[in-house]
């Protein structure tokens, strides 16, 4: 506890050193923040290498040592489970940050859970994937109290090109789900253009390159055969479909019909493998 109070910068705890979390945690430490970590599988911490960090054997030890605790895990259920286990050890005034993608409603539930211990919560999902995390130009979309968002922004800036506070609890998750939905809708549009180009027997390689240079350029287009590759496209397609289902559920819980957008987005997700196959044929 003394360390957290005497350090010039807040002590940051990190749970979830996966494909995206590892470069994020590395960036936090290399920016000068004291980094504390815990993992269900301690071997996963070895990815930090020589990056300065303090390992903890229990969640309670981690909770007691930190001012900010970042969670970068797969599902809302994982986040809520970890938060419940951390809560007894967290000091009042600590901030729990969820960097994963989830439902806005669960961001609100997490906020209510942690408020019992006078612990603040931010939902701060990120966009850009592992390449952006490694280059430290993620976009971080933040929901929660403005004061806590400002407090955590210096840590977020260590791995982000843009940090945007969007409103109260759940606002960050809403923005991330809309971001993902639009990406998938753009993929659906690209797939339709590519299929038409195939019928016209155009040179797809040259066509895509010129589209990237013109007003048709988009992130969805530039990610093909860069971040979206033959070796990972099936996995990414499945992840996108799950994200689209989260989008549909979030909008439905808000009382709005998103059928047309959801169907279009799912078409983009499910068609991603075929799209990449066309471009690499």
């Amino acid at each position: 506890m003394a360390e957290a109070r005497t350090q010039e910068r807040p002590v940051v705890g990190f749970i979830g050193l996966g494909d995206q979390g590892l470069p994020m945690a590395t960036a936090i430490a290399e920016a000068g923040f004291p980094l504390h970590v815990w993992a269900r599988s301690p071997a996963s911490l070895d990815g930090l290498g020589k990056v300065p960090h303090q390992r903890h054997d229990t969640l309670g030890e981690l909770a007691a040592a930190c001012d900010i605790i970042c969670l970068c895990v797969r599902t809302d259920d994982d986040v809520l489970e970890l938060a419940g286990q951390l809560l007894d050890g967290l000091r009042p005034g600590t901030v729990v940050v969820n960097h994963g993608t989830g439902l806005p409603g669960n961001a609100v539930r997490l906020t209510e859970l942690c408020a019992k211990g006078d612990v603040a919560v931010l939902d701060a999902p990120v966009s850009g994937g592992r390449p952006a995390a490694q280059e430290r130009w993620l976009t971080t979309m933040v929901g929660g109290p403005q004061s806590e968002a400002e407090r955590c922004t210096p840590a977020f800036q260590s791995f982000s090109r843009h940090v945007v506070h969007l409103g109260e609890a759940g606002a960050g998750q809403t923005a991330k789900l809309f971001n993902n939905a639009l990406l998938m809708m753009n993929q659906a549009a690209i797939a339709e253009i590519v299929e038409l180009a195939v019928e016209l027997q155009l040179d797809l390689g040259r066509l895509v390159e010129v589209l990237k240079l013109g007003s048709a350029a988009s992130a969805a287009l530039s990610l093909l055969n860069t971040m979206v590759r033959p070796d990972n496209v099936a996995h990414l397609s499945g992840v996108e479909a799950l994200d689209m289902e989260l989008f549909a559920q979030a909008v439905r819980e808000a009382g709005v019909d998103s059928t047309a957008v959801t169907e279009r987005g799912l078409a983009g997700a499910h068609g991603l493998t075929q799209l990449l196959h066309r471009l690499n044929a």
Side-chain angles (χ1 to χ4, degrees), residues 2 7 11 26 56 59 72 85-86 117 123 139 151 153 164 167 173 191 203 206 211 224-225 227 236 255 261 277 280:
Q7 287 285 350
V11 176
T26 299
H56 293 277
L59 283 170
C72 193
Q85 295 178 48
L86 286 164
D123 49 295
T139 294
R151 178 181 171 194
T153 290
V164 183
Q173 295 293 11
D203 183 325
R206 296 182 68 183
L211 291 177
L224 297 172
N225 281 319
M227 193 173 85
L236 292 177
V261 170
H277 173 74
N280 291 318

Side-chain angles (χ1 to χ4, degrees), residues 5 17 20 87 107 119 128 156 166 185 228 240 244 262 268:
R5 290 171 179 166
L17 298 176
Q20 191 160 259
L87 198 52
V119 170
F156 298 161
L166 292 132
M185 293 173 75
V228 181
E240 286 190 354
M244 203 65 225
T262 298

Side-chain angles (χ1 to χ4, degrees), residues 15 50 60 70 89 103 107 118 128 144 239 257:
I15 300 173
K50 296 182 179 179
C70 301
L103 290 170
D118 197 21
V239 170
D257 180 11

Side-chain angles (χ1 to χ4, degrees), residues 256-276:
V256 176
D257 180 11
S258 67
T259 301
V261 170
T262 298
E263 290 179 352
R264 185 71 168 163
L266 283 172
H270 293 317
L272 189 58
T273 301
Q274 173 66 13
L275 170 59
L276 203 66

Side-chain angles (χ1 to χ4, degrees), residues 157-236:
Q157 288 174 330
S158 70
F159 52 75
S160 305
R161 182 168 55 180
H162 304 291
V163 178
V164 183
H165 181 247
L166 292 132
E168 295 305 310
Q173 295 293 11
T174 299
K176 177 64 188 299
L177 293 175
F178 272 69
N179 174 83
N180 291 359
L182 185 56
L183 171 69
M184 287 176 255
M185 293 173 75
N186 287 341
Q187 287 171 182
I190 293 167
E192 291 176 352
I193 287 292
V194 165
E195 289 301 321
L196 185 59
V198 168
E199 290 188 37
L200 293 173
Q201 299 183 335
L202 301 180
D203 183 325
L204 286 182
R206 296 182 68 183
L207 176 64
V208 169
E209 286 307 309
V210 77
L211 291 177
K212 289 179 181 179
L213 297 173
S215 58
S218 67
L221 195 59
S222 66
L223 291 175
L224 297 172
N225 281 319
T226 54
M227 193 173 85
V228 181
R229 307 180 306 273
D231 65 302
N232 66 8
V233 65
H235 169 71
L236 292 177

